[in-house]
Amino acid sequence: MSALPTSGGALPALRRWHAAPYLVTALVIAGVSVPLYAGMTGDSYLVAIMSRILVYALAAVGLNLCLGFGGMISMGHAMYLGLGAYIVPVAADLGVTNGWLQLLLLVLAVGPIAGVVGAISLRTRGIAFIMITLAFAQMFFFLCVSFKRYGGDEGISLQQLSDFGVQGSGKTGLYYALLATLIVVIAASDRLKRSRFGLVLQAARINERRVGALGTNPLPYQLLAYVLSALVCAIAGFFLANLTGFVSPASLAWTVSGELIVMVVLGGLGTVMGPLVGALSFLLVEEGLKALTEHWLVILGPLIVLMALLLRRGLWGLVAGREGGDAR
Amino acid sequence: MSPDFLLTQLLNGIQFGLLLFLMAAGLTLVFGIMSFINLAHGSLYMVGAYVAATTYVHTESFSLAVVASVAGLFVLALVLDRLAFAALQQRDHLQQVLATFGVVIFANEAVRMVFGNAPVYLDAPAALSQPVSILGFNYSAYRLMIIAAGLLVALALHLLIDRTRAGMLIRAGASNRKMVSALGVNIGWLNSFIFALGAALAGLAGAIAGPILSVQAGMGEPVLILTLVVIVIGGIGSVRGAFFGALTVGVIDTLGRGVMPTILNALLDPSIAGAVGPALASAGVYVLMAAVLAFKPDGLFPVRYT
């Protein structure tokens, strides 16, 4: 850790406020112990719901790269979640069942798609960018709906999950792989936020014209952030398909894009830990409301409105204070 | 493929395009002038359809149903504007997206609670239920009425925007709202009026779409997203752009679904055509949008000069 510049440590911004590292540690311990607890009590539902939370946390961390750091309001990131999920049956169809090769395929497929979609979308800003990302996501939604080979609008159960060559690990193994991926990606997003790349990205969010005037064209940075965030979402989708053994266009629905934004904002826009906290609290509230009433969406909708109007810095922002003197 | 079939498809495309125009005309002004991203415009359309369906059940008069929907949505929009949306306009786009997203979720579920999951049916008025024959070509009288209504609204909006003082303010607001405000125009009133006008048009669209599409919870979102495509193609804030954009999108989408499979079948192996056809048809509109943006990022009829 001493190789890192300035104050040292992987998460100096969190060290500033002394409760934050304890919270992070508690979250990691809770994450690790879920399957152990489930193994003791035989409660497999808990692992399923925690896996779902981790998948959406990973996707939200991905979206945060683009939305939080870059200020690019993408209303279409569910598309990458869905594309990552569809890689599993499509690759199996092509005879590729090795998980690592499938991940390679995912990068090779989603990377260029995100590059093209990002390049076209970034020709616009503001309202138009929101609408274009939404429209592109709808395009891929309808593409998935129309491919009868993969179940059309009803989706398809996977005949063959990704094979990572680990015998008998099952859902628990997948859960730990997901947890490890999430920790690595969160640590990477912390590094990225403080790197030159991250600084240019955040500066462009605050004032794009000034960044340009200072001699840096922000566009390549924004595009790269968009593609990176798409890839993280796709990896989350890849896990989602393997965890549920099922893919359907529902994972590309525009409401999923909206929910991902809600998670990022709820947790704390542009903070490192925010997306995880946001996904955790959003999905737990969702589970609670579902247990309460069949018409839980009637309560969730107004809660989202209230959050949008009142919670400007997000839950993590309330707990951890201003991370690294962030401007918002 | 007979010429009659092609002509029917083309007219269906125009009819669908004009329906999209009713949605897009109001929303493009809300985006352009108020700089307010309202995802709940599709919900206004849905509420309009339900108001019409409910009125129709009680009065059995289609014209009353349309009037109730238009007037009801105009008033509802004024109330919503006072309650929440005027405050939302001061917030940034992300908060607007989230808040209106919450409204959409609420509205869909509320409708499901009140009316149930099953679609509600709204009959076309008896006078328009038979097809009409034009030079030996039969076409649905009701759809012709939609085309006529759409063109009429387009003409009325053209007169309002290009010939009246209010329209002049709307145009000025679309290109620079701060300057209009600085010149002493009460932009708050203008905003409320535009928002209510857009809602009334969405109500009209919902009411007249009732007899040809099913009235059910969540019906607004597919239309909303195509409306967004129309607005992006036409240029944000431009009613003229919304008109031509809507017609283009309506015709391409309808012809894509109706005619493209036949063409592909002739060109390709049927098994490939069967797999690719629907995908291409549903993606056609979005490819068009990407192509327009690649060359003209501000849309075909840009209005904003900042």
Side-chain angles (χ1 to χ4, degrees):
Chain A
M1 288 297 164
S2 58
L4 290 172
T6 63
S7 52
L11 302 167
L14 300 181
R15 289 237 167 117
R16 186 165 307 167
W17 197 75
H18 48 270
Y22 297 114
L23 277 173
V24 174
T25 317
L27 281 172
V28 171
I29 292 173
V32 171
S33 53
V34 161
L36 301 176
Y37 171 80
M40 281 190 291
T41 57
D43 184 2
S44 62
Y45 180 67
L46 189 65
V47 179
I49 188 164
M50 273 306 289
S51 308
R52 202 170 113 79
I53 289 174
L54 293 187
V55 162
Y56 282 97
L58 184 57
V61 172
L63 177 61
N64 190 40
L65 296 179
C66 156
L67 176 70
F69 298 167
M72 295 171 271
I73 307 175
S74 164
M75 189 66 196
H77 261 55
M79 135 186 180
Y80 298 112
L81 193 74
L83 287 177
Y86 270 90
I87 284 289
V88 182
V90 172
D93 219 22
L94 298 171
V96 181
T97 55
N98 181 301
W100 299 109
L101 281 179
Q102 289 186 338
L103 277 173
L104 180 69
L105 213 61
L106 177 145
V107 173
L108 291 180
V110 175
I113 290 177
V116 172
V117 169
I120 295 177
S121 305
L122 279 169
R123 286 181 64 79
T124 64
R125 292 290 183 277
I127 288 183
F129 184 83
I130 303 172
M131 291 196 284
I132 287 154
T133 48
L134 174 58
F136 271 118
Q138 274 317 95
M139 173 172 128
F140 280 93
F141 174 79
F142 286 120
L143 278 177
C144 289
V145 165
S146 60
F147 276 116
K148 295 283 177 273
R149 187 178 176 80
Y150 301 109
D153 57 354
E154 299 199 329
I156 191 169
S157 288
L158 301 179
Q159 303 295 320
Q160 172 82 52
L161 296 182
S162 307
D163 177 14
F164 282 94
V166 185
Q167 294 293 317
S169 53
K171 296 268 192 251
T172 312
L174 211 52
Y175 175 87
Y176 280 124
L178 176 56
L179 186 64
T181 309
L182 181 62
I183 293 173
V184 168
V185 171
I186 287 181
S189 98
D190 182 55
R191 283 295 307 266
L192 185 140
K193 188 181 178 185
R194 291 176 297 120
S195 66
R196 181 178 185 278
F197 175 80
L199 292 178
V200 174
L201 198 59
Q202 292 170 84
R205 179 193 73 209
I206 296 160
N207 192 333
E208 202 171 336
R209 199 172 285 179
R210 192 174 293 170
V211 173
L214 288 171
T216 306
N217 179 8
L219 188 64
Y221 293 84
Q222 291 169 324
L223 186 57
L224 184 58
Y226 182 85
V227 173
L228 282 178
S229 93
L231 286 174
V232 174
C233 278
I235 292 171
F238 180 81
F239 274 110
L240 183 67
N242 277 301
L243 281 164
T244 55
F246 180 75
V247 294
S248 88
S251 56
L252 285 83
W254 76 281
T255 47
V256 177
S257 300
E259 283 164 8
L260 285 176
I261 298 183
V262 171
M263 290 173 199
V264 172
V265 175
L266 176 63
L269 192 68
T271 62
V272 172
M273 292 297 294
L276 170 62
V277 176
L280 184 71
S281 18
F282 180 80
L283 292 171
L284 286 182
V285 166
E286 194 182 285
E287 286 298 319
L289 290 179
K290 271 181 188 165
L292 204 64
T293 164
E294 177 197 349
H295 297 290
W296 56 283
L297 286 169
V298 163
I299 307 172
L300 185 69
L303 281 183
I304 293 175
V305 177
L306 283 179
M307 181 204 80
L309 294 177
L310 302 176
L311 200 64
R312 307 202 73 159
R313 274 170 48 206
L315 293 175
W316 188 256
L318 293 178
V319 181
R322 296 199 158 203
E323 226 182 273
D326 198 344
R328 56 187 296 173
Chain B
M1 210 182 314
S2 68
D4 269 15
F5 173 74
L6 264 182
L7 192 58
T8 307
Q9 289 291 327
L10 190 65
L11 281 173
N12 282 349
I14 292 173
Q15 173 259 311
F16 184 49
L18 286 166
L19 203 61
L20 285 178
F21 169 70
L22 292 180
M23 291 286 288
L27 195 55
T28 198
L29 289 175
V30 169
F31 283 167
I33 298 175
M34 300 156 80
S35 187
F36 173 43
I37 176 141
N38 179 16
L39 294 179
H41 203 69
S43 300
L44 295 173
Y45 164 85
M46 175 180 72
V47 171
Y50 272 99
V51 168
T54 312
T55 316
Y56 185 72
V57 167
H58 289 293
T59 63
E60 302 213 336
S61 156
F62 185 77
S63 356
L64 260 184
V66 171
V67 171
S69 174
V70 172
L73 266 287
F74 192 88
V75 174
L76 175 69
L78 284 179
V79 174
L80 277 179
D81 192 57
R82 275 296 114 109
L83 279 181
F85 286 21
L88 257 184
Q89 281 171 45
Q90 315 300 325
R91 305 302 187 91
D92 60 36
H93 288 151
L94 183 59
Q95 289 169 317
Q96 295 169 354
V97 166
L98 283 175
T100 54
F101 175 65
V103 171
V104 170
I105 290 181
F106 170 79
N108 282 341
E109 193 61 29
V111 160
R112 217 169 271 138
M113 274 174 88
V114 177
F115 295 92
N117 262 327
V120 176
Y121 291 98
L122 183 65
D123 293 327
L128 295 171
S129 59
Q130 298 299 319
V132 286
S133 174
I134 314 157
L135 303 172
F137 166 73
N138 287 322
Y139 191 69
S140 154
Y142 185 72
R143 285 175 189 266
L144 268 187
M145 189 280 289
I146 295 183
I147 293 180
L151 290 176
L152 218 61
V153 169
L155 181 69
L157 276 180
H158 166 68
L159 292 178
L160 172 73
I161 287 172
D162 290 334
R163 294 280 184 276
T164 66
R165 184 176 158 77
M168 187 183 72
L169 292 177
I170 290 175
R171 275 180 289 139
S175 65
N176 195 335
R177 56 171 281 161
K178 273 188 191 146
M179 187 59 78
V180 176
S181 179
L183 289 172
V185 176
N186 186 339
I187 200 102
W189 275 108
L190 189 63
N191 281 346
S192 300
F193 171 70
I194 290 166
F195 186 61
L197 181 70
L201 289 177
L204 176 64
I208 62 177
I212 51 174
L213 303 168
S214 57
V215 178
Q216 58 185 347
M219 67 184 280
E221 279 60 70
V223 176
L224 171 77
I225 286 158
L226 276 181
T227 304
L228 297 182
V229 172
V230 165
I231 291 172
V232 168
I233 290 177
I236 293 170
S238 162
V239 174
R240 205 156 61 101
F243 183 73
F244 291 109
L247 283 180
T248 316
V249 167
V251 168
I252 287 187
D253 195 54
T254 309
L255 285 188
R257 283 164 210 279
V259 178
M260 191 122 95
T262 327
I263 297 174
L264 281 177
N265 267 329
L267 292 177
L268 296 169
D269 185 62
S271 65
I272 301 175
V276 177
L280 278 182
S282 52
V285 173
Y286 303 100
V287 174
L288 171 77
M289 178 194 73
V292 168
L293 283 176
F295 295 103
K296 301 195 73 149
D298 292 328
L300 295 175
F301 297 89
V303 291
R304 188 176 276 278
Y305 308 100
T306 43

